[in-house]
Amino acid sequence: MYKSVTAEEAVKVIKSNSRVYIQAAAAAPQTLIKAMTARYEELENVEICQLHTEGEAPYADPELSKSFHVNSFFIGKNVRHTLKAGNGSYTPVFLSELPLLFKRNIIDLDVALIHVSVPDRHGYCSLGVSVEATLAAIDNATYVIAQINTQMPRTHGAGIIHVSEVDYFVESDEPLPIHHMSEPSEIENRIGSYVANLIEDRSTLQMGIGSIPNAVLSRLTDHKDLGLHTEMFSDGVIDLILNDVINGNYKEINRGRALTTFLMGSKRLYDYVDDNPFVEMRASNYTNDVSIIKQNPKMVAINSAIEVDVTGQVCADSIGPNIYSGVGGQMDFIRGASLSEGGKAIIALPSVTKSGISRIVPSLKPGAGVVTTRSHVHYVVTEYGVANLYGKTIKERVKALVDIAHPDHREYIDKTYFELISGGKRLAL
């Protein structure tokens, strides 16, 4: 059905000045990545295009900058250093639009490195735990190299490709990267409680992974008939699905299915999604399409931020001018939830950083990026409560956000904001 080669032989199609796409998240093909990086002495100016990837990224070593340059569409911890080191760049793009960059040949690809399940008897492989822009990369790339992994789950949905679409196969048997769920802190649990109280029965959820989403999910056990339409999820949803809390019965899109474009978590999660038709994997230009998201009634989008100013502007991708992560799908889902019948767009964050710096601020740091505008946000939630900004004036927003800031910072935030705009003279805003 297919003929496998060694990883070293497969990656020889990568030449100097090639542009290579690497499948995202927990599906980053480590065997192929290591074989490609091992050729650094014979390669120059290879551009690596990627979203966030789990696992090692040896090509991101600044000492290999003559061989590899990292172009990130969303920046993870393993490549964050490349921006300051000079061997990396950041391309801002909505996750919903990333496949279009390849489909429209705005970014031409020479090679796609992908990670798939073992082919079935008909010759079809699954992209497993990550689809995002990989289908578009496969269609656009001159060469497609697939790492076939006996431990890659076979997931249902659109991430199915035939062996005829692949140029080189490399066999492997290795576990996927594990993303450990951290136990929510007291502050995160309080935030989780406030957010859970905003979620009605028969709502459809979008949320990422992390302590706050976990805290929210742990408080939904008494809810009924929830749906899941998200770009990613982790272990926190499994028990809710098994206990019929999440069943998708009242979604308008992909009813009766949990929809996502990538996932990462424990081996339990990977085992759960293996050959499970309830979980449907789709490309990100489908999962994150605002026109699709908004069709789900009571769509609830729960996202986080680095800081929020008192008018409601949300910075989620940078610390001042220094890019930290990326635009991702936040705006896709915030807008989709806003337009949904009964939908709610929520930004949830602790009131202060671990070092005690307020994350509700009079104004964003100089150079900070606005991922979500002040006109898009409905709710901002901290451990001190919920600020409903929808339909509110600037003056009303300032009061609502000061009220959920940390008490130690409230007077300063309020005073500093009005000094910034009026020299200390309060205006009707």
Side-chain angles (χ1 to χ4, degrees):
M1 184 181 299
Y2 69 90
K3 182 181 179 181
S4 64
V5 298
T6 65
E8 292 72 22
E9 184 177 350
V11 299
K12 286 180 180 179
V13 299
I14 300 173
K15 309 294 185 184
S16 294
N17 302 308
S18 289
R19 182 180 279 141
V20 179
Y21 183 76
I22 295 177
Q23 192 173 345
Q30 292 295 316
T31 297
L32 302 182
I33 287 170
K34 291 171 184 175
M36 173 188 68
T37 307
R39 296 184 58 225
Y40 72 93
E41 291 184 337
E42 55 190 286
L43 294 173
E44 291 185 0
N45 195 36
V46 174
E47 181 181 337
I48 307 297
C49 297
Q50 64 172 75
L51 284 159
H52 164 83
T53 61
E54 291 286 298
E56 297 179 19
Y59 51 83
D61 185 341
E63 293 187 5
L64 305 184
S65 60
K66 290 184 179 180
S67 304
F68 304 105
H69 185 88
V70 184
N71 180 4
S72 297
F73 306 114
F74 191 96
I75 298 170
K77 182 179 179 180
N78 57 2
V79 299
R80 192 168 291 135
H81 63 278
T82 64
L83 297 183
K84 284 189 176 180
N87 62 319
S89 303
Y90 167 57
T91 300
V93 62
F94 294 131
L95 190 55
S96 59
E97 295 186 28
L98 179 56
L100 299 181
L101 295 184
F102 303 145
K103 289 183 176 183
R104 295 172 177 172
N105 297 314
I106 295 169
I107 296 179
D108 288 317
L109 298 174
D110 297 295
V111 180
L113 302 183
I114 67 173
H115 196 171
V116 300
S117 68
V118 175
D120 65 15
R121 61 193 179 91
H122 303 291
Y124 287 94
C125 304
S126 165
L127 291 174
V129 296
S130 188
V131 178
E132 19 75 33
T134 301
L135 290 172
I138 291 169
D139 290 341
N140 179 265
T142 305
Y143 294 101
V144 178
I145 306 174
Q147 177 178 327
I148 293 179
N149 189 356
T150 55
Q151 298 191 49
M152 174 63 80
R154 185 177 186 83
T155 55
H156 288 240
I160 303 295
I161 64 168
H162 193 263
V163 292
S164 61
E165 299 178 67
V166 177
D167 297 289
Y168 296 94
F169 295 92
V170 175
E171 294 181 328
S172 68
D173 178 22
E174 59 186 48
L176 299 182
I178 298 299
H179 184 90
H180 297 284
M181 290 175 58
S182 58
E183 196 67 31
S185 66
E186 180 183 348
I187 287 174
E188 290 160 341
N189 278 323
R190 281 172 22 207
I191 295 170
S193 294
Y194 281 123
V195 173
N197 287 336
L198 291 172
I199 298 171
E200 304 172 63
D201 291 344
R202 301 185 180 182
S203 294
T204 296
L205 308 180
Q206 174 264 329
M207 59 180 62
I209 62 175
S211 296
I212 291 177
N214 292 343
V216 175
L217 291 168
S218 69
R219 284 156 175 75
L220 297 179
T221 54
D222 292 329
H223 281 62
K224 295 179 175 61
D225 297 317
L226 299 179
L228 193 64
H229 181 137
T230 186
E231 67 187 24
M232 63 183 299
F233 67 77
S234 191
D235 293 65
V237 304
I238 298 176
D239 288 333
L240 293 177
I241 295 171
L242 294 175
N243 291 315
D244 200 40
V245 174
I246 294 177
N247 53 38
N249 289 344
Y250 291 88
K251 294 169 62 182
E252 285 298 321
I253 298 296
N254 304 93
R255 182 170 295 182
R257 299 288 185 271
L259 190 71
T260 189
T261 194
F262 64 95
L263 50 89
M264 47 189 189
S266 69
K267 188 176 185 301
R268 183 194 181 205
L269 176 70
Y270 302 144
D271 289 342
Y272 177 74
V273 301
D274 184 38
D275 200 26
N276 185 343
F278 182 74
V279 177
E280 185 166 340
M281 307 289 294
R282 291 289 195 107
S284 62
N285 56 318
Y286 181 89
T287 58
N288 289 49
D289 186 330
V290 172
S291 68
I292 292 174
I293 296 167
K294 72 177 185 178
Q295 294 180 52
N296 291 309
K298 297 183 181 179
M299 183 74 211
V300 179
I302 305 163
N303 289 271
S304 193
I306 292 173
E307 60 180 6
V308 179
D309 79 12
V310 289
T311 73
Q313 293 188 110
V314 177
C315 173
D317 67 344
S318 71
I319 300 173
N322 299 312
I323 300 297
Y324 184 80
S325 54
V327 173
Q330 181 173 124
M331 263 298 298
D332 296 328
F333 279 96
I334 289 289
R335 190 62 179 147
S338 299
L339 296 173
S340 159
E341 184 66 33
K344 295 174 181 175
I346 301 169
I347 298 293
L349 72 167
S351 65
V352 295
T353 66
K354 291 180 180 179
S355 57
I357 299 170
S358 182
R359 295 172 71 172
I360 305 295
V361 294
S363 62
L364 300 181
K365 292 181 180 64
V370 177
V371 169
T372 299
T373 75
R374 58 172 68 99
S375 59
H376 285 103
V377 180
H378 285 193
Y379 298 91
V380 177
V381 180
T382 73
E383 71 272 25
Y384 292 102
V386 179
N388 183 356
L389 308 183
Y390 194 54
K392 299 298 196 302
T393 67
I394 294 293
K395 187 174 183 179
E396 290 169 331
R397 287 162 175 255
V398 173
K399 182 181 185 310
L401 286 166
V402 168
D403 285 346
I404 65 166
H406 192 285
D408 291 349
H409 296 283
R410 290 175 188 172
E411 183 178 354
Y412 169 81
I413 296 167
D414 185 63
K415 179 181 178 182
T416 302
Y417 174 73
F418 283 103
E419 287 179 348
L420 283 172
I421 64 168
S422 62
K425 184 179 180 180
R426 288 182 176 267
L427 304 176
L429 299 174

